Amino acid sequence: MRIPKNIFAVIFFFIAIAGVFYFSISLKKDFEIQIRNIEIEGNNFLSKENYLRFARLINKREYNYLTLQIIKDRIEKHPYVLKADVRYDGNFKVKVKISEKNIDAILIDRENQFLITDKMQVLPILSETKNIDYPIVTNAQLNDSIKVLSSIKNNIDVLTAVKIISAVKFANPELHDFLSTIDLQNGGEISVYFSNVDYNLLIGRGNEIKKVMYFNSIWNVLKDKEINNYMEYVDLRYGGHIFLGINEINQEAEKKS
């Protein structure tokens, strides 16, 4: 019995597809295991070696068992890493471009310190962590113990502090650079401190963002002025009014000199 030609064509087609699939998998595997060097870039909070050590990528004798996906998965498990772009760069070299998470603040809880991301995630401050010059949030009212890698967005105190930081940054990036500490007073009235002046900003509770905008308006008048040498506080707690606390002792001393 003769077999129709179209059946031969169909069989040949499936054999060809299977062969291409087999060789593509084989070549891909052979291609990906030819790794001798792994380079990290985009790191800011930790050194390249710290990231490689965390991902167990220090021992080059184990590189033959790696794939690009394995490298990506290991790097992205680090709490500081948002995502990692892993590419084979030729000459047996793999380049890993790290995008670290965006940090808004440092949260202090008794003797413990944590990083707070723009997504309100809690991150640990590792012993090797560097370049973490961020506003400090202190004396937050915390009902539960803080858990690393959890979200803290349900804590009203911390959420309020982060909103204040974001409002300052939005209104005046220069002023944000001087933002030092937000003292939440364990649920009491909020005070804000800046590194370039000796007085604090009293904003109390309620309408915190609006008060930050008020202060930004007068900041452009106050900055670099001599009056900053005599001030003890700027008080925005009372119904849209702005009160400036003047240190009379400093003022008298200045007159006598």
Side-chain angles (χ1 to χ4, degrees), residues 126-178:
L126 306 175
S127 59
E128 304 89 354
T129 307
K130 57 184 181 179
N131 300 326
I132 51 171
D133 185 17
Y134 297 97
I136 294 172
V137 176
T138 186
N139 294 322
Q141 196 170 34
L142 302 169
N143 298 323
D144 302 311
S145 60
I146 298 175
K147 297 180 181 179
V148 171
L149 299 183
S150 68
S151 173
I152 200 168
K153 64 182 179 182
N154 291 327
N155 183 283
I156 300 301
D157 251 15
V158 179
L159 181 61
T160 299
V162 171
K163 285 183 177 180
I164 292 172
I165 293 169
S166 298
V168 173
K169 188 174 183 178
F170 174 79
N172 192 333
E174 178 190 23
L175 186 59
H176 177 265
D177 290 340
F178 297 123

Side-chain angles (χ1 to χ4, degrees), residues 3 12 14 34-35 41 57 64 73 83 85 89 105 118 133 137 183 194-195 207 221 224 231 248:
I3 300 176
F12 178 80
F14 280 109
Q34 300 300 311
I35 301 171
E41 59 183 37
L57 299 174
N64 286 337
D73 291 343
K83 64 178 181 178
D85 181 24
D89 198 40
D118 58 345
D133 185 17
V137 176
D183 189 348
F194 298 90
S195 62
N207 298 317
V221 178
D224 302 325
M231 289 173 54
E248 296 181 0

Side-chain angles (χ1 to χ4, degrees), residues 12-29:
F12 178 80
F13 174 78
F14 280 109
I15 292 174
I17 290 297
V20 170
F21 181 77
Y22 172 79
F23 283 113
S24 66
I25 294 297
S26 178
L27 289 173
K28 185 174 185 293
K29 182 178 179 181

Side-chain angles (χ1 to χ4, degrees), residues 22-232:
Y22 172 79
F23 283 113
S24 66
I25 294 297
S26 178
L27 289 173
K28 185 174 185 293
K29 182 178 179 181
D30 290 340
F31 170 78
E32 287 191 335
I33 63 174
Q34 300 300 311
I35 301 171
R36 296 178 185 171
N37 290 291
I38 300 175
E39 292 187 357
I40 301 284
E41 59 183 37
N43 58 299
N44 179 55
F45 299 137
L46 293 171
S47 68
K48 298 175 182 180
E49 185 178 354
N50 284 138
Y51 279 120
L52 289 173
R53 187 183 301 112
F54 174 88
R56 306 189 310 281
L57 299 174
I58 293 292
N59 189 353
K60 293 186 177 183
R61 289 176 294 181
E62 298 178 357
Y63 283 7
N64 286 337
Y65 304 101
L66 297 175
T67 64
L68 299 183
Q69 188 61 47
I70 289 175
I71 296 172
K72 177 181 175 68
D73 291 343
R74 290 187 185 180
I75 292 290
E76 289 184 343
K77 281 184 172 65
H78 196 286
Y80 291 174
V81 176
L82 179 64
K83 64 178 181 178
D85 181 24
V86 181
R87 298 184 181 183
Y88 185 75
D89 198 40
N91 297 321
F92 309 107
K93 182 194 300 181
V94 169
K95 281 192 174 182
V96 180
K97 186 174 182 179
I98 291 176
S99 296
E100 295 174 324
K101 295 175 182 177
N102 296 315
I103 306 300
D104 275 348
I106 297 173
L107 174 63
I108 296 180
D109 177 31
R110 300 180 181 87
E111 292 83 22
N112 301 314
Q113 298 184 17
F114 306 92
L115 298 176
I116 305 298
T117 73
D118 58 345
K119 305 298 183 183
M120 299 297 293
Q121 185 185 34
V122 179
L123 303 182
I125 296 182
L126 306 175
S127 59
E128 304 89 354
T129 307
K130 57 184 181 179
N131 300 326
I132 51 171
D133 185 17
Y134 297 97
I136 294 172
V137 176
T138 186
N139 294 322
Q141 196 170 34
L142 302 169
N143 298 323
D144 302 311
S145 60
I146 298 175
K147 297 180 181 179
V148 171
L149 299 183
S150 68
S151 173
I152 200 168
K153 64 182 179 182
N154 291 327
N155 183 283
I156 300 301
D157 251 15
V158 179
L159 181 61
T160 299
V162 171
K163 285 183 177 180
I164 292 172
I165 293 169
S166 298
V168 173
K169 188 174 183 178
F170 174 79
N172 192 333
E174 178 190 23
L175 186 59
H176 177 265
D177 290 340
F178 297 123
L179 182 55
S180 172
T181 305
I182 297 178
D183 189 348
L184 296 165
Q185 303 283 352
N186 294 304
E189 297 188 329
I190 301 171
S191 295
V192 180
Y193 297 83
F194 298 90
S195 62
N196 61 327
V197 292
D198 292 331
Y199 56 83
N200 61 318
L201 171 65
L202 306 175
I203 64 174
R205 292 278 176 169
N207 298 317
E208 295 90 359
I209 305 306
K210 185 181 292 186
K211 292 173 183 176
V212 167
M213 297 303 175
Y214 288 158
F215 180 69
N216 179 60
S217 298
I218 66 170
W219 169 257
N220 294 319
V221 178
L222 291 175
K223 70 175 183 178
D224 302 325
K225 297 295 192 299
E226 188 176 358
I227 190 174
N228 286 298
N229 298 325
Y230 310 124
M231 289 173 54
E232 289 186 329

